[in-house]
PDB file of all heavy atoms in Angstrom:
ATOM      1  N   VAL I 971    -110.725  -4.498 -27.816  1.00 92.00           N
ATOM      2  CA  VAL I 971    -110.450  -3.913 -29.127  1.00 92.00           C
ATOM      3  C   VAL I 971    -108.935  -3.759 -29.309  1.00 92.00           C
ATOM      4  O   VAL I 971    -108.282  -3.059 -28.520  1.00 92.00           O
ATOM      5  CB  VAL I 971    -111.134  -2.539 -29.271  1.00 92.00           C
ATOM      6  CG1 VAL I 971    -110.762  -1.896 -30.600  1.00 92.00           C
ATOM      7  CG2 VAL I 971    -112.639  -2.683 -29.139  1.00 92.00           C
ATOM      8  N   PRO I 972    -108.340  -4.382 -30.333  1.00 93.00           N
ATOM      9  CA  PRO I 972    -106.892  -4.229 -30.569  1.00 93.00           C
ATOM     10  C   PRO I 972    -106.602  -2.951 -31.353  1.00 93.00           C
ATOM     11  O   PRO I 972    -106.910  -2.851 -32.543  1.00 93.00           O
ATOM     12  CB  PRO I 972    -106.551  -5.477 -31.396  1.00 93.00           C
ATOM     13  CG  PRO I 972    -107.809  -5.793 -32.133  1.00 93.00           C
ATOM     14  CD  PRO I 972    -108.960  -5.343 -31.264  1.00 93.00           C
ATOM     15  N   ALA I 973    -106.026  -1.952 -30.695  1.00 94.00           N
ATOM     16  CA  ALA I 973    -105.652  -0.711 -31.376  1.00 94.00           C
ATOM     17  C   ALA I 973    -104.348  -0.878 -32.138  1.00 94.00           C
ATOM     18  O   ALA I 973    -104.139  -0.259 -33.185  1.00 94.00           O
ATOM     19  CB  ALA I 973    -105.533   0.425 -30.368  1.00 94.00           C
ATOM     20  N   VAL I 974    -103.436  -1.689 -31.603  1.00 95.00           N
ATOM     21  CA  VAL I 974    -102.178  -2.045 -32.264  1.00 95.00           C
ATOM     22  C   VAL I 974    -102.110  -3.563 -32.249  1.00 95.00           C
ATOM     23  O   VAL I 974    -102.203  -4.176 -31.183  1.00 95.00           O
ATOM     24  CB  VAL I 974    -100.957  -1.434 -31.539  1.00 95.00           C
ATOM     25  CG1 VAL I 974     -99.657  -1.882 -32.185  1.00 95.00           C
ATOM     26  CG2 VAL I 974    -101.053   0.088 -31.527  1.00 95.00           C
ATOM     27  N   ASP I 975    -101.955  -4.171 -33.418  1.00 94.00           N
ATOM     28  CA  ASP I 975    -102.175  -5.615 -33.542  1.00 94.00           C
ATOM     29  C   ASP I 975    -100.975  -6.311 -34.200  1.00 94.00           C
ATOM     30  O   ASP I 975    -100.953  -6.530 -35.409  1.00 94.00           O
ATOM     31  CB  ASP I 975    -103.450  -5.867 -34.352  1.00 94.00           C
ATOM     32  CG  ASP I 975    -103.922  -7.308 -34.267  1.00 94.00           C
ATOM     33  OD1 ASP I 975    -103.290  -8.104 -33.551  1.00 94.00           O
ATOM     34  OD2 ASP I 975    -104.925  -7.633 -34.921  1.00 94.00           O
ATOM     35  N   GLY I 976     -99.956  -6.605 -33.392  1.00 94.00           N
ATOM     36  CA  GLY I 976     -98.802  -7.345 -33.905  1.00 94.00           C
ATOM     37  C   GLY I 976     -97.836  -6.496 -34.715  1.00 94.00           C
ATOM     38  O   GLY I 976     -97.326  -6.942 -35.749  1.00 94.00           O
ATOM     39  N   VAL I 977     -97.551  -5.286 -34.268  1.00 96.00           N
ATOM     40  CA  VAL I 977     -96.667  -4.364 -34.992  1.00 96.00           C
ATOM     41  C   VAL I 977     -95.210  -4.642 -34.644  1.00 96.00           C
ATOM     42  O   VAL I 977     -94.855  -4.809 -33.470  1.00 96.00           O
ATOM     43  CB  VAL I 977     -97.035  -2.901 -34.660  1.00 96.00           C
ATOM     44  CG1 VAL I 977     -95.931  -1.945 -35.085  1.00 96.00           C
ATOM     45  CG2 VAL I 977     -98.349  -2.534 -35.334  1.00 96.00           C
ATOM     46  N   SER I 978     -94.357  -4.690 -35.679  1.00 96.00           N
ATOM     47  CA  SER I 978     -92.916  -4.899 -35.493  1.00 96.00           C
ATOM     48  C   SER I 978     -92.151  -3.928 -36.391  1.00 96.00           C
ATOM     49  O   SER I 978     -92.473  -3.779 -37.574  1.00 96.00           O
ATOM     50  CB  SER I 978     -92.512  -6.334 -35.844  1.00 96.00           C
ATOM     51  OG  SER I 978     -93.157  -7.280 -35.025  1.00 96.00           O
ATOM     52  N   PHE I 979     -91.145  -3.271 -35.823  1.00 96.00           N
ATOM     53  CA  PHE I 979     -90.246  -2.418 -36.611  1.00 96.00           C
ATOM     54  C   PHE I 979     -89.003  -2.122 -35.780  1.00 96.00           C
ATOM     55  O   PHE I 979     -88.950  -2.433 -34.582  1.00 96.00           O
ATOM     56  CB  PHE I 979     -90.928  -1.107 -37.043  1.00 96.00           C
ATOM     57  CG  PHE I 979     -91.383  -0.228 -35.905  1.00 96.00           C
ATOM     58  CD1 PHE I 979     -90.518   0.659 -35.291  1.00 96.00           C
ATOM     59  CD2 PHE I 979     -92.700  -0.286 -35.450  1.00 96.00           C
ATOM     60  CE1 PHE I 979     -90.941   1.467 -34.238  1.00 96.00           C
ATOM     61  CE2 PHE I 979     -93.135   0.515 -34.415  1.00 96.00           C
ATOM     62  CZ  PHE I 979     -92.250   1.395 -33.816  1.00 96.00           C
ATOM     63  N   GLN I 980     -87.993  -1.541 -36.427  1.00 96.00           N
ATOM     64  CA  GLN I 980     -86.754  -1.183 -35.757  1.00 96.00           C
ATOM     65  C   GLN I 980     -86.360   0.240 -36.134  1.00 96.00           C
ATOM     66  O   GLN I 980     -86.685   0.708 -37.224  1.00 96.00           O
ATOM     67  CB  GLN I 980     -85.627  -2.147 -36.131  1.00 96.00           C
ATOM     68  CG  GLN I 980     -85.885  -3.591 -35.751  1.00 96.00           C
ATOM     69  CD  GLN I 980     -84.717  -4.500 -36.071  1.00 96.00           C
ATOM     70  OE1 GLN I 980     -83.613  -4.034 -36.380  1.00 96.00           O
ATOM     71  NE2 GLN I 980     -84.935  -5.803 -36.003  1.00 96.00           N
ATOM     72  N   VAL I 981     -85.645   0.899 -35.221  1.00 96.00           N
ATOM     73  CA  VAL I 981     -85.086   2.221 -35.472  1.00 96.00           C
ATOM     74  C   VAL I 981     -83.600   2.148 -35.166  1.00 96.00           C
ATOM     75  O   VAL I 981     -83.208   1.787 -34.049  1.00 96.00           O
ATOM     76  CB  VAL I 981     -85.750   3.312 -34.605  1.00 96.00           C
ATOM     77  CG1 VAL I 981     -85.169   4.683 -34.947  1.00 96.00           C
ATOM     78  CG2 VAL I 981     -87.260   3.314 -34.792  1.00 96.00           C
ATOM     79  N   GLY I 982     -82.780   2.454 -36.152  1.00 94.00           N
ATOM     80  CA  GLY I 982     -81.343   2.425 -35.960  1.00 94.00           C
ATOM     81  C   GLY I 982     -80.831   3.687 -35.282  1.00 94.00           C
ATOM     82  O   GLY I 982     -81.518   4.711 -35.230  1.00 94.00           O
ATOM     83  N   ARG I 983     -79.622   3.643 -34.786  1.00 92.00           N
ATOM     84  CA  ARG I 983     -79.008   4.818 -34.151  1.00 92.00           C
ATOM     85  C   ARG I 983     -78.837   5.928 -35.184  1.00 92.00           C
ATOM     86  O   ARG I 983     -78.285   5.717 -36.254  1.00 92.00           O
ATOM     87  CB  ARG I 983     -77.652   4.448 -33.547  1.00 92.00           C
ATOM     88  CG  ARG I 983     -77.760   3.457 -32.409  1.00 92.00           C
ATOM     89  CD  ARG I 983     -76.402   3.120 -31.812  1.00 92.00           C
ATOM     90  NE  ARG I 983     -76.530   2.093 -30.796  1.00 92.00           N
ATOM     91  CZ  ARG I 983     -76.865   2.327 -29.537  1.00 92.00           C
ATOM     92  NH1 ARG I 983     -77.060   3.573 -29.134  1.00 92.00           N
ATOM     93  NH2 ARG I 983     -76.964   1.339 -28.669  1.00 92.00           N
ATOM     94  N   GLY I 984     -79.317   7.117 -34.831  1.00 91.00           N
ATOM     95  CA  GLY I 984     -79.198   8.256 -35.727  1.00 91.00           C
ATOM     96  C   GLY I 984     -80.151   8.248 -36.901  1.00 91.00           C
ATOM     97  O   GLY I 984     -80.101   9.144 -37.748  1.00 91.00           O
ATOM     98  N   GLU I 985     -81.056   7.269 -36.973  1.00 94.00           N
ATOM     99  CA  GLU I 985     -81.959   7.140 -38.115  1.00 94.00           C
ATOM    100  C   GLU I 985     -83.282   7.854 -37.846  1.00 94.00           C
ATOM    101  O   GLU I 985     -83.684   8.040 -36.689  1.00 94.00           O
ATOM    102  CB  GLU I 985     -82.238   5.655 -38.374  1.00 94.00           C
ATOM    103  CG  GLU I 985     -83.174   5.411 -39.563  1.00 94.00           C
ATOM    104  CD  GLU I 985     -83.616   3.956 -39.685  1.00 94.00           C
ATOM    105  OE1 GLU I 985     -83.785   3.296 -38.642  1.00 94.00           O
ATOM    106  OE2 GLU I 985     -83.790   3.504 -40.824  1.00 94.00           O
ATOM    107  N   THR I 986     -83.965   8.252 -38.915  1.00 94.00           N
ATOM    108  CA  THR I 986     -85.323   8.763 -38.811  1.00 94.00           C
ATOM    109  C   THR I 986     -86.265   7.776 -39.479  1.00 94.00           C
ATOM    110  O   THR I 986     -86.150   7.518 -40.683  1.00 94.00           O
ATOM    111  CB  THR I 986     -85.464  10.136 -39.487  1.00 94.00           C
ATOM    112  OG1 THR I 986     -84.617  11.075 -38.829  1.00 94.00           O
ATOM    113  CG2 THR I 986     -86.903  10.633 -39.396  1.00 94.00           C
ATOM    114  N   LEU I 987     -87.178   7.207 -38.695  1.00 96.00           N
ATOM    115  CA  LEU I 987     -88.220   6.336 -39.215  1.00 96.00           C
ATOM    116  C   LEU I 987     -89.542   7.072 -39.105  1.00 96.00           C
ATOM    117  O   LEU I 987     -89.911   7.550 -38.031  1.00 96.00           O
ATOM    118  CB  LEU I 987     -88.291   5.032 -38.425  1.00 96.00           C
ATOM    119  CG  LEU I 987     -89.490   4.121 -38.751  1.00 96.00           C
ATOM    120  CD1 LEU I 987     -89.366   3.555 -40.164  1.00 96.00           C
ATOM    121  CD2 LEU I 987     -89.633   2.998 -37.733  1.00 96.00           C
ATOM    122  N   GLY I 988     -90.279   7.157 -40.208  1.00 96.00           N
ATOM    123  CA  GLY I 988     -91.596   7.764 -40.196  1.00 96.00           C
ATOM    124  C   GLY I 988     -92.669   6.700 -40.149  1.00 96.00           C
ATOM    125  O   GLY I 988     -92.554   5.661 -40.804  1.00 96.00           O
ATOM    126  N   ILE I 989     -93.697   6.933 -39.351  1.00 96.00           N
ATOM    127  CA  ILE I 989     -94.886   6.073 -39.346  1.00 96.00           C
ATOM    128  C   ILE I 989     -96.047   6.925 -39.819  1.00 96.00           C
ATOM    129  O   ILE I 989     -96.341   7.973 -39.247  1.00 96.00           O
ATOM    130  CB  ILE I 989     -95.168   5.492 -37.948  1.00 96.00           C
ATOM    131  CG1 ILE I 989     -93.984   4.626 -37.479  1.00 96.00           C
ATOM    132  CG2 ILE I 989     -96.442   4.662 -37.968  1.00 96.00           C
ATOM    133  CD1 ILE I 989     -94.202   3.974 -36.132  1.00 96.00           C
ATOM    134  N   VAL I 990     -96.696   6.476 -40.897  1.00 94.00           N
ATOM    135  CA  VAL I 990     -97.734   7.278 -41.533  1.00 94.00           C
ATOM    136  C   VAL I 990     -99.008   6.460 -41.651  1.00 94.00           C
ATOM    137  O   VAL I 990     -98.976   5.232 -41.735  1.00 94.00           O
ATOM    138  CB  VAL I 990     -97.257   7.780 -42.923  1.00 94.00           C
ATOM    139  CG1 VAL I 990     -97.095   6.616 -43.887  1.00 94.00           C
ATOM    140  CG2 VAL I 990     -98.179   8.836 -43.488  1.00 94.00           C
ATOM    141  N   GLY I 991    -100.135   7.146 -41.650  1.00 89.00           N
ATOM    142  CA  GLY I 991    -101.425   6.484 -41.790  1.00 89.00           C
ATOM    143  C   GLY I 991    -102.546   7.427 -41.391  1.00 89.00           C
ATOM    144  O   GLY I 991    -102.309   8.493 -40.823  1.00 89.00           O
ATOM    145  N   GLU I 992    -103.778   7.027 -41.696  1.00 87.00           N
ATOM    146  CA  GLU I 992    -104.938   7.839 -41.361  1.00 87.00           C
ATOM    147  C   GLU I 992    -105.149   7.910 -39.851  1.00 87.00           C
ATOM    148  O   GLU I 992    -104.625   7.089 -39.095  1.00 87.00           O
ATOM    149  CB  GLU I 992    -106.189   7.247 -42.020  1.00 87.00           C
ATOM    150  CG  GLU I 992    -106.194   7.291 -43.533  1.00 87.00           C
ATOM    151  CD  GLU I 992    -107.382   6.554 -44.114  1.00 87.00           C
ATOM    152  OE1 GLU I 992    -108.467   7.156 -44.198  1.00 87.00           O
ATOM    153  OE2 GLU I 992    -107.227   5.388 -44.494  1.00 87.00           O
ATOM    154  N   SER I 993    -105.953   8.870 -39.424  1.00 85.00           N
ATOM    155  CA  SER I 993    -106.314   8.968 -38.014  1.00 85.00           C
ATOM    156  C   SER I 993    -107.002   7.675 -37.571  1.00 85.00           C
ATOM    157  O   SER I 993    -107.855   7.144 -38.278  1.00 85.00           O
ATOM    158  CB  SER I 993    -107.265  10.148 -37.787  1.00 85.00           C
ATOM    159  OG  SER I 993    -106.632  11.366 -38.106  1.00 85.00           O
ATOM    160  N   GLY I 994    -106.603   7.181 -36.401  1.00 85.00           N
ATOM    161  CA  GLY I 994    -107.201   5.970 -35.870  1.00 85.00           C
ATOM    162  C   GLY I 994    -106.521   4.685 -36.283  1.00 85.00           C
ATOM    163  O   GLY I 994    -106.985   3.603 -35.923  1.00 85.00           O
ATOM    164  N   CYS I 995    -105.395   4.778 -37.015  1.00 90.00           N
ATOM    165  CA  CYS I 995    -104.738   3.550 -37.483  1.00 90.00           C
ATOM    166  C   CYS I 995    -103.834   2.922 -36.422  1.00 90.00           C
ATOM    167  O   CYS I 995    -103.356   1.804 -36.600  1.00 90.00           O
ATOM    168  CB  CYS I 995    -103.941   3.818 -38.753  1.00 90.00           C
ATOM    169  SG  CYS I 995    -102.443   4.792 -38.505  1.00 90.00           S
ATOM    170  N   GLY I 996    -103.550   3.629 -35.322  1.00 91.00           N
ATOM    171  CA  GLY I 996    -102.735   3.065 -34.253  1.00 91.00           C
ATOM    172  C   GLY I 996    -101.376   3.709 -34.085  1.00 91.00           C
ATOM    173  O   GLY I 996    -100.575   3.259 -33.263  1.00 91.00           O
ATOM    174  N   LYS I 997    -101.104   4.795 -34.807  1.00 92.00           N
ATOM    175  CA  LYS I 997     -99.790   5.437 -34.741  1.00 92.00           C
ATOM    176  C   LYS I 997     -99.485   5.955 -33.333  1.00 92.00           C
ATOM    177  O   LYS I 997     -98.441   5.638 -32.746  1.00 92.00           O
ATOM    178  CB  LYS I 997     -99.698   6.603 -35.734  1.00 92.00           C
ATOM    179  CG  LYS I 997    -100.050   6.278 -37.163  1.00 92.00           C
ATOM    180  CD  LYS I 997     -99.816   7.454 -38.083  1.00 92.00           C
ATOM    181  CE  LYS I 997    -100.571   8.706 -37.726  1.00 92.00           C
ATOM    182  NZ  LYS I 997    -102.035   8.553 -37.843  1.00 92.00           N
ATOM    183  N   SER I 998    -100.391   6.766 -32.795  1.00 91.00           N
ATOM    184  CA  SER I 998    -100.150   7.381 -31.490  1.00 91.00           C
ATOM    185  C   SER I 998    -100.148   6.347 -30.374  1.00 91.00           C
ATOM    186  O   SER I 998     -99.356   6.449 -29.419  1.00 91.00           O
ATOM    187  CB  SER I 998    -101.204   8.452 -31.206  1.00 91.00           C
ATOM    188  OG  SER I 998    -101.080   9.531 -32.106  1.00 91.00           O
ATOM    189  N   VAL I 999    -101.014   5.327 -30.473  1.00 94.00           N
ATOM    190  CA  VAL I 999    -101.034   4.279 -29.448  1.00 94.00           C
ATOM    191  C   VAL I 999     -99.722   3.499 -29.454  1.00 94.00           C
ATOM    192  O   VAL I 999     -99.231   3.093 -28.395  1.00 94.00           O
ATOM    193  CB  VAL I 999    -102.236   3.338 -29.663  1.00 94.00           C
ATOM    194  CG1 VAL I 999    -102.204   2.182 -28.670  1.00 94.00           C
ATOM    195  CG2 VAL I 999    -103.541   4.105 -29.515  1.00 94.00           C
ATOM    196  N   THR I1000     -99.122   3.321 -30.637  1.00 95.00           N
ATOM    197  CA  THR I1000     -97.811   2.683 -30.713  1.00 95.00           C
ATOM    198  C   THR I1000     -96.778   3.484 -29.927  1.00 95.00           C
ATOM    199  O   THR I1000     -95.992   2.926 -29.145  1.00 95.00           O
ATOM    200  CB  THR I1000     -97.368   2.541 -32.182  1.00 95.00           C
ATOM    201  OG1 THR I1000     -98.303   1.718 -32.887  1.00 95.00           O
ATOM    202  CG2 THR I1000     -95.986   1.921 -32.280  1.00 95.00           C
ATOM    203  N   CYS I1001     -96.790   4.813 -30.096  1.00 94.00           N
ATOM    204  CA  CYS I1001     -95.848   5.679 -29.368  1.00 94.00           C
ATOM    205  C   CYS I1001     -96.088   5.620 -27.866  1.00 94.00           C
ATOM    206  O   CYS I1001     -95.133   5.510 -27.076  1.00 94.00           O
ATOM    207  CB  CYS I1001     -95.989   7.118 -29.838  1.00 94.00           C
ATOM    208  SG  CYS I1001     -95.460   7.396 -31.508  1.00 94.00           S
ATOM    209  N   LEU I1002     -97.338   5.715 -27.471  1.00 94.00           N
ATOM    210  CA  LEU I1002     -97.658   5.671 -26.043  1.00 94.00           C
ATOM    211  C   LEU I1002     -97.282   4.328 -25.433  1.00 94.00           C
ATOM    212  O   LEU I1002     -96.888   4.258 -24.261  1.00 94.00           O
ATOM    213  CB  LEU I1002     -99.149   5.953 -25.833  1.00 94.00           C
ATOM    214  CG  LEU I1002     -99.621   7.362 -26.194  1.00 94.00           C
ATOM    215  CD1 LEU I1002    -101.139   7.472 -26.084  1.00 94.00           C
ATOM    216  CD2 LEU I1002     -98.950   8.412 -25.308  1.00 94.00           C
ATOM    217  N   SER I1003     -97.378   3.263 -26.227  1.00 96.00           N
ATOM    218  CA  SER I1003     -96.966   1.944 -25.742  1.00 96.00           C
ATOM    219  C   SER I1003     -95.463   1.898 -25.501  1.00 96.00           C
ATOM    220  O   SER I1003     -95.003   1.335 -24.499  1.00 96.00           O
ATOM    221  CB  SER I1003     -97.375   0.858 -26.749  1.00 96.00           C
ATOM    222  OG  SER I1003     -98.766   0.844 -26.959  1.00 96.00           O
ATOM    223  N   ILE I1004     -94.695   2.490 -26.407  1.00 96.00           N
ATOM    224  CA  ILE I1004     -93.240   2.534 -26.237  1.00 96.00           C
ATOM    225  C   ILE I1004     -92.884   3.289 -24.959  1.00 96.00           C
ATOM    226  O   ILE I1004     -91.995   2.881 -24.199  1.00 96.00           O
ATOM    227  CB  ILE I1004     -92.585   3.192 -27.459  1.00 96.00           C
ATOM    228  CG1 ILE I1004     -92.771   2.310 -28.707  1.00 96.00           C
ATOM    229  CG2 ILE I1004     -91.095   3.447 -27.214  1.00 96.00           C
ATOM    230  CD1 ILE I1004     -92.360   2.977 -30.001  1.00 96.00           C
ATOM    231  N   MET I1005     -93.591   4.382 -24.699  1.00 95.00           N
ATOM    232  CA  MET I1005     -93.310   5.206 -23.517  1.00 95.00           C
ATOM    233  C   MET I1005     -93.974   4.664 -22.250  1.00 95.00           C
ATOM    234  O   MET I1005     -93.800   5.212 -21.175  1.00 95.00           O
ATOM    235  CB  MET I1005     -93.803   6.637 -23.769  1.00 95.00           C
ATOM    236  CG  MET I1005     -93.128   7.338 -24.920  1.00 95.00           C
ATOM    237  SD  MET I1005     -91.379   7.666 -24.628  1.00 95.00           S
ATOM    238  CE  MET I1005     -91.469   9.050 -23.498  1.00 95.00           C
ATOM    239  N   ARG I1006     -94.763   3.603 -22.404  1.00 95.00           N
ATOM    240  CA  ARG I1006     -95.549   3.031 -21.300  1.00 95.00           C
ATOM    241  C   ARG I1006     -96.463   4.092 -20.677  1.00 95.00           C
ATOM    242  O   ARG I1006     -96.559   4.242 -19.472  1.00 95.00           O
ATOM    243  CB  ARG I1006     -94.636   2.401 -20.249  1.00 95.00           C
ATOM    244  CG  ARG I1006     -94.229   0.984 -20.632  1.00 95.00           C
ATOM    245  CD  ARG I1006     -93.277   0.327 -19.675  1.00 95.00           C
ATOM    246  NE  ARG I1006     -93.738   0.300 -18.304  1.00 95.00           N
ATOM    247  CZ  ARG I1006     -93.077  -0.281 -17.307  1.00 95.00           C
ATOM    248  NH1 ARG I1006     -91.915  -0.884 -17.557  1.00 95.00           N
ATOM    249  NH2 ARG I1006     -93.542  -0.274 -16.080  1.00 95.00           N
ATOM    250  N   LEU I1007     -97.170   4.791 -21.570  1.00 93.00           N
ATOM    251  CA  LEU I1007     -98.101   5.829 -21.155  1.00 93.00           C
ATOM    252  C   LEU I1007     -99.536   5.516 -21.577  1.00 93.00           C
ATOM    253  O   LEU I1007    -100.397   6.394 -21.505  1.00 93.00           O
ATOM    254  CB  LEU I1007     -97.681   7.186 -21.744  1.00 93.00           C
ATOM    255  CG  LEU I1007     -96.386   7.783 -21.185  1.00 93.00           C
ATOM    256  CD1 LEU I1007     -96.017   9.052 -21.936  1.00 93.00           C
ATOM    257  CD2 LEU I1007     -96.493   8.056 -19.696  1.00 93.00           C
ATOM    258  N   VAL I1008     -99.781   4.288 -22.015  1.00 94.00           N
ATOM    259  CA  VAL I1008    -101.153   3.897 -22.351  1.00 94.00           C
ATOM    260  C   VAL I1008    -101.985   3.911 -21.079  1.00 94.00           C
ATOM    261  O   VAL I1008    -101.624   3.273 -20.077  1.00 94.00           O
ATOM    262  CB  VAL I1008    -101.184   2.496 -23.000  1.00 94.00           C
ATOM    263  CG1 VAL I1008    -102.609   2.031 -23.216  1.00 94.00           C
ATOM    264  CG2 VAL I1008    -100.433   2.506 -24.318  1.00 94.00           C
ATOM    265  N   PRO I1009    -103.106   4.650 -21.058  1.00 91.00           N
ATOM    266  CA  PRO I1009    -103.925   4.705 -19.832  1.00 91.00           C
ATOM    267  C   PRO I1009    -104.488   3.338 -19.475  1.00 91.00           C
ATOM    268  O   PRO I1009    -105.130   2.680 -20.297  1.00 91.00           O
ATOM    269  CB  PRO I1009    -105.031   5.702 -20.181  1.00 91.00           C
ATOM    270  CG  PRO I1009    -105.082   5.717 -21.682  1.00 91.00           C
ATOM    271  CD  PRO I1009    -103.689   5.449 -22.153  1.00 91.00           C
TER     272      PRO I1009
END
């Protein structure tokens, strides 16, 4: 099951990027992937 499916974005220095969406859309899994904390 693909929880995050081909997501691409950038965050600049000092910038605030918001990721918004309903529960289950893949927001938290994206964060855990960045931190390499996906179980």
Side-chain angles (χ1 to χ4, degrees):
V971 176
V974 176
D975 193 2
V977 165
S978 299
F979 61 85
Q980 299 183 12
V981 182
R983 295 181 184 277
E985 180 189 34
T986 298
L987 171 68
I989 299 182
V990 67
E992 294 174 84
S993 297
C995 72
K997 307 185 302 295
S998 294
V999 175
T1000 299
C1001 292
L1002 294 174
S1003 301
I1004 294 170
M1005 298 293 284
R1006 277 177 55 177
L1007 291 175
V1008 174

